[in-house]
Amino acid sequence: MRTEDILAAVATGLWRWDNASGTVTLDAEAARLLGLPAEKVCLPEAAVRSRFHPVDWNEINGVVNLAVAEGTLAEARLRIMDVEGRLLRTVRSRSKPVVDGSDYQLFGTIQEVAEPQPGTAAHTPVTGDWRRSREAFLLDAGRALAEARSTAEVLRVAASLSMPGFSPDSLAVFGSSGGRITVIGQHGYSPEEDPPFADMLLGTDHPAAEVVRTGRAIYLPSPEEYSRRYPAGRPLAADTEPRTPRAPRSPRSWAFVPLTVAGSTLGAWMAGFAHPVAFTPDERSVLTTVARMVAQALARAGVAETERELSQGLQRSMMPTLGPEIPGMTVAARYVPTGGGLQVGGDWYDMIPLPSGRIALVIGDVQGHDVRAAGLMGQLRIALRAYASEGHRPDAVLSRASRFLHGLHDLPGADTYSPGDHSSPRFATCLYIEADPATGLLDIARAGHPDPAVRMSDGTVLVRPTAGGLPLGIDPDTDYPTTRLVLEPGETIMICTDGLIETGGHDLDTGWARLRRIMEEHSGDNLEKLADALVAAVHGPSSHHTTGPLVDRREDDIALLLLCREGAGCGCGAGSSTTLLAPARRTAMTVAQAEPERIAVARQQLRDLLHDWADEEQVDAGVLMVSEMVTNVLVHTDGDALLVVEATGEPGERRLRVEVADASDELPHKRRPGEMASSGRGLVLMEMLADTWGVDPRGDGKCIWFELYEAGASGGSGVSAGFGGGSAGPAS
């Protein structure tokens, strides 16, 4: 008698499922059990699939995939439906996959099983509360593992998983590298000892090593089975009592499941159970699914940790230290990369000892937040160091650096650049300060970078306008004029990249207002604390060591440099113990003939310097007179105007002195302008608004000045003895 006849006699059908062609071959009995005519037939997969209950089909699909992965039998119960959706019968399927590359064929049997008796639960292995609990567990596990950002977090999540009905009592994750298997994480062993077989060769007779070699799971339901199959692992299987009072019970069943990502086995995951586990297909399916999620989470965490290590190493190699110490001065710096990616970018700072004994402070920002921006930043920083070390002045250093960066655009392949390409030409902003520690003299050259700000000894903060040119790398022939400032004892100059100013929805004006408030509220006792406070104002309470909680506000890299000339009120050095009898605020700026728009900057400088002046009307008067004085120089002479402002004394009793000097030796004189005249009112306004004023002839020109006394503390309106009233000159 043929085998087919014997199987038909016991109501057992045969089938062959070809995954490659998408066809299913049924013998006569199998066709009958599926509700088809009782004859041998080859059907498309969809025609056979339509006979299964949808819930059962989803389950059998997972069971088959598990069997293919493990090389085991695929067993399941299936409900057969007719064309109208009525239940015909329930069958049990047992099939063996034969794998051929990425395709497989299933050879198996199906057999009808008895219907449940009335009043009994009609739960099959693929339905009921257990399946719903398993699905909920897998969703929670997947979400928790997806949020883990490091290997340690992945291992903590894996150790905390509570599987429905069979939670492991001990876990171990084995990694494979260089022909060795090592335990990279474990849970459930005594803290005083390592888990058995913590380090072994890939060829060791151990289930974890075999899983890594073959890529197939191994299930050991009892210690006897473990000892029989892996005699070398008997110490692991034989210990049934805890070695310390706090140690958990020793496992009685084990599952070793491969950690596979993109077809590559990274290691093995061991789940140990203190009670016997039969490892049914459903239980194996859960373990396999969890192992895949753990493998993917470990792979993501490994990539993230590699990127962090790379970015930190890149930062450490590119960002300089601030030594050596500068006599009479203190420096503090911060660098905070933007969130996301490799956390590297184009911002940088540097401090360069010069051959003249001076110190150069540099801060800059290469366009972009990627690895190429970081690479260009490193090249540009080295070039700036080289030019500065040769002894060039600030304007020459930036001119050479601009030509250097522009020259990089002419390298082979530059003609393939496109506007949206990450390799397109980049520019860089930069601010270069040459500081004389002995005198506090600062020579500043600026290339498209934000202006510096100065915190005076009494806490007043002024943004100091400086002359500048185009960003580096745009035009190789750009000139970079130099601005000279004096940093008085007790004052601090701050230079930063635009990430500190404009991050968090701020523009240039509101960003400076935020930083000004932080600097003015600072007690001045420590420069490092001020640096931390400025960074925390952007992205939460942190420092350069860690990132703050408001990561979503870190839209741009941040580089920050603070230079303090030690003196009263700064708290940086020995000079801070002395006390100034009359705290002074000073500012100076030049308004060139070709830059009349800087008159508005001069007005704003005066308002910022007098931000806490008692009488707002006096501030308005001072601003009006400054505007008149500077405008007269630009209109009636051929030279530039030099504005010097100084406020001295205690609050409530201060004196403001404003001087505007020019190179012309022709003195102004008062006129009586008519109602329709467009000029001639400057000296009249000063006589009306100033407490005292005058004109001082100088060897290289003249200086017109006025003074205001806060709250009318002293003095009065009138013409100073310094004014030589009879001199002829241009009308004011």
Side-chain angles (χ1 to χ4, degrees):
M1 184 178 290
R2 296 184 309 160
T3 303
E4 292 84 348
D5 297 334
I6 297 175
L7 292 175
V10 294
T12 301
L14 296 176
W15 67 350
R16 179 172 62 86
W17 195 303
D18 190 339
N19 180 61
S21 63
T23 59
V24 182
T25 302
L26 306 170
D27 68 359
E29 182 62 19
R32 184 191 69 80
L33 290 174
L34 293 183
L36 299 171
E39 59 186 18
K40 186 174 182 180
V41 65
C42 181
L43 299 173
E45 176 183 312
V48 176
R49 177 177 175 177
S50 65
R51 294 291 175 168
F52 298 147
H53 191 286
V55 173
D56 297 357
W57 166 256
N58 291 335
E59 189 67 23
I60 188 62
N61 194 44
V63 171
V64 168
N65 289 333
L66 178 65
V68 170
E70 297 179 349
T72 57
L73 290 178
E75 301 182 58
R77 290 193 179 191
L78 300 166
R79 287 169 288 182
I80 306 302
M81 318 298 291
D82 63 13
V83 293
E84 296 181 358
R86 294 188 299 263
L87 177 65
L88 290 178
R89 62 182 59 87
T90 300
V91 299
R92 180 171 58 187
S93 167
R94 291 171 57 89
S95 55
K96 173 70 175 180
V98 177
V99 180
D100 182 14
S102 59
D103 298 319
Y104 62 86
Q105 294 187 43
L106 285 174
F107 297 89
T109 63
I110 57 174
Q111 186 177 32
E112 185 172 2
V113 297
E115 296 290 339
Q117 296 297 321
T120 62
H123 293 313
T124 71
V126 295
T127 60
D129 294 337
W130 192 93
R131 188 177 63 83
R132 288 190 289 271
S133 298
R134 186 195 65 180
E135 291 174 352
F137 159 74
L138 292 176
L139 286 174
D140 291 340
R143 182 166 51 249
L145 289 169
E147 294 174 354
R149 298 186 177 182
S150 66
T151 300
E153 290 182 13
V154 173
L155 296 176
R156 282 197 298 270
V157 171
S160 65
L161 296 179
S162 179
M163 299 182 186
F166 67 116
S167 295
D169 297 280
S170 59
L171 299 170
V173 175
F174 297 83
S176 174
S177 177
R180 303 193 68 84
I181 306 293
T182 58
V183 174
I184 61 176
Q186 58 87 20
H187 168 72
Y189 291 94
S190 171
E192 292 82 12
E193 61 180 359
D194 291 329
F197 294 92
D199 187 4
M200 55 187 160
L201 293 173
L202 186 58
T204 303
D205 184 22
H206 187 273
E210 183 175 335
V211 166
V212 174
R213 292 195 304 267
T214 64
R216 291 187 174 181
I218 295 175
Y219 300 99
L220 304 170
S222 66
E224 293 76 19
E225 178 70 9
Y226 195 119
S227 300
R228 182 184 66 80
R229 293 184 59 180
Y230 302 97
R234 182 171 178 78
L236 178 62
D239 294 338
T240 58
E241 297 297 331
R243 298 186 179 183
T244 66
R246 298 179 61 187
R249 293 180 298 164
S250 295
R252 306 291 298 175
S253 298
W254 296 262
F256 290 85
V257 190
L259 298 173
T260 304
V261 176
S264 175
T265 302
L266 307 179
W269 177 49
M270 185 211 77
F273 301 87
H275 57 279
V277 177
F279 298 116
T280 65
D282 292 316
E283 292 169 341
R284 298 202 310 272
S285 177
V286 170
L287 290 168
T288 301
T289 303
V290 171
R292 288 173 180 169
M293 292 190 295
V294 170
Q296 292 172 355
L298 286 173
R300 288 193 303 268
V303 171
E305 289 171 347
T306 300
E307 290 178 348
R308 283 195 293 271
E309 183 178 355
L310 174 62
S311 64
Q312 290 169 1
L314 191 59
Q315 290 175 33
R316 285 192 295 267
S317 65
M318 290 186 172
M319 302 311 294
T321 58
L322 291 179
E325 295 184 357
I326 307 174
M329 289 185 166
T330 303
V331 182
R334 296 290 184 270
Y335 172 70
V336 181
T338 188
L342 288 178
Q343 297 200 358
V344 296
D347 291 23
W348 88 96
Y349 63 82
D350 206 349
M351 189 176 81
I352 310 169
L354 301 178
S356 61
R358 296 186 173 191
I359 298 294
L361 298 177
V362 188
I363 197 162
D365 181 2
V366 176
Q367 177 192 15
H369 312 293
D370 51 19
V371 175
R372 184 166 183 266
L376 285 177
M377 176 268 286
Q379 292 176 285
L380 187 57
R381 175 175 159 256
I382 293 172
L384 280 162
R385 264 191 167 265
Y387 299 140
S389 299
E390 290 175 353
H392 298 294
R393 298 292 297 164
D395 55 337
V397 170
L398 291 192
S399 294
R400 285 167 167 76
S402 183
R403 285 194 291 271
F404 169 81
L405 186 56
H406 188 273
L408 295 180
H409 303 162
D410 298 328
L411 295 176
D415 56 346
T416 65
Y417 294 144
S418 61
D421 189 359
H422 288 296
S423 62
S424 59
R426 307 285 183 100
F427 62 83
T429 65
C430 184
L431 192 143
Y432 182 99
I433 298 178
E434 185 177 308
D436 186 345
T439 63
L441 189 66
L442 307 178
D443 289 324
I444 304 174
R446 187 170 59 87
H449 203 80
D451 284 308
V454 174
R455 182 184 187 273
M456 299 180 177
S457 57
D458 68 345
T460 301
V461 176
L462 294 181
V463 178
R464 301 304 297 263
T466 56
L470 292 173
L472 305 178
I474 293 180
D475 183 353
D477 299 321
T478 300
D479 293 326
Y480 297 96
T482 301
T483 302
R484 175 164 290 185
L485 302 177
V486 176
L487 195 65
E488 301 290 347
E491 292 185 345
T492 300
I493 187 169
M494 181 198 76
I495 56 178
C496 64
T497 56
D498 56 1
L500 187 68
I501 303 172
E502 298 179 345
T503 297
H506 289 273
D507 58 22
L508 197 61
D509 293 332
T510 61
W512 271 124
R514 172 181 59 183
L515 299 181
R516 179 183 287 112
R517 183 178 64 256
I518 298 298
M519 295 179 72
E520 290 180 346
E521 292 174 353
H522 181 65
S523 60
D525 58 342
N526 187 288
L527 206 62
E528 297 290 336
K529 291 182 179 179
L530 176 57
D532 284 340
L534 289 168
V535 173
V538 175
H539 68 100
S542 70
S543 71
H544 57 304
H545 301 294
T546 58
T547 56
L550 305 181
V551 179
D552 58 320
R553 295 179 63 183
R554 293 194 291 136
E555 303 155 5
D556 197 0
D557 305 330
I558 294 173
L560 166 69
L561 261 178
L562 296 171
L563 174 67
C564 176
R565 188 179 180 195
E566 296 169 2
C570 73
C572 294
S576 61
S577 61
T578 62
T579 303
L580 288 176
L581 297 178
R585 301 178 187 174
R586 298 183 183 88
T587 185
M589 63 177 293
T590 300
V591 180
Q593 285 284 336
E595 298 177 314
E597 66 276 3
R598 284 175 63 83
I599 297 176
V601 178
R603 292 195 294 261
Q604 187 60 45
Q605 282 280 289
L606 183 60
R607 287 194 181 277
D608 291 343
L609 189 136
L610 301 180
H611 68 97
D612 58 350
W613 197 265
D615 190 344
E616 284 291 336
E617 291 186 359
Q618 280 189 313
V619 176
D620 293 338
V623 170
L624 178 58
M625 288 186 284
V626 164
S627 185
E628 281 288 333
M629 293 160 66
V630 176
T631 300
N632 282 345
V633 171
L634 300 187
V635 172
H636 298 295
T637 73
D638 296 328
D640 302 336
L642 174 63
L643 171 67
V644 179
V645 182
E646 180 182 68
T648 57
E650 298 296 335
E653 300 178 352
R654 288 172 288 192
R655 183 194 71 169
L656 171 70
R657 182 179 177 88
V658 178
E659 299 179 355
V660 176
D662 62 75
S664 173
D665 56 3
E666 295 187 22
L667 301 179
H669 61 272
K670 290 187 291 184
R671 296 190 301 165
R672 302 295 180 185
E675 292 184 2
M676 304 300 293
S678 60
S679 63
R681 295 184 176 85
L683 296 185
V684 176
L685 285 173
M686 294 180 63
E687 191 172 65
M688 293 174 58
L689 301 176
D691 288 314
T692 181
W693 65 279
V695 179
D696 294 338
R698 294 181 176 177
D700 56 352
K702 65 178 180 297
C703 171
I704 184 168
W705 56 269
F706 71 85
E707 292 182 354
L708 292 175
Y709 305 116
E710 190 173 15
S714 61
S717 299
V719 179
S720 167
F723 174 53
S727 301
S732 172

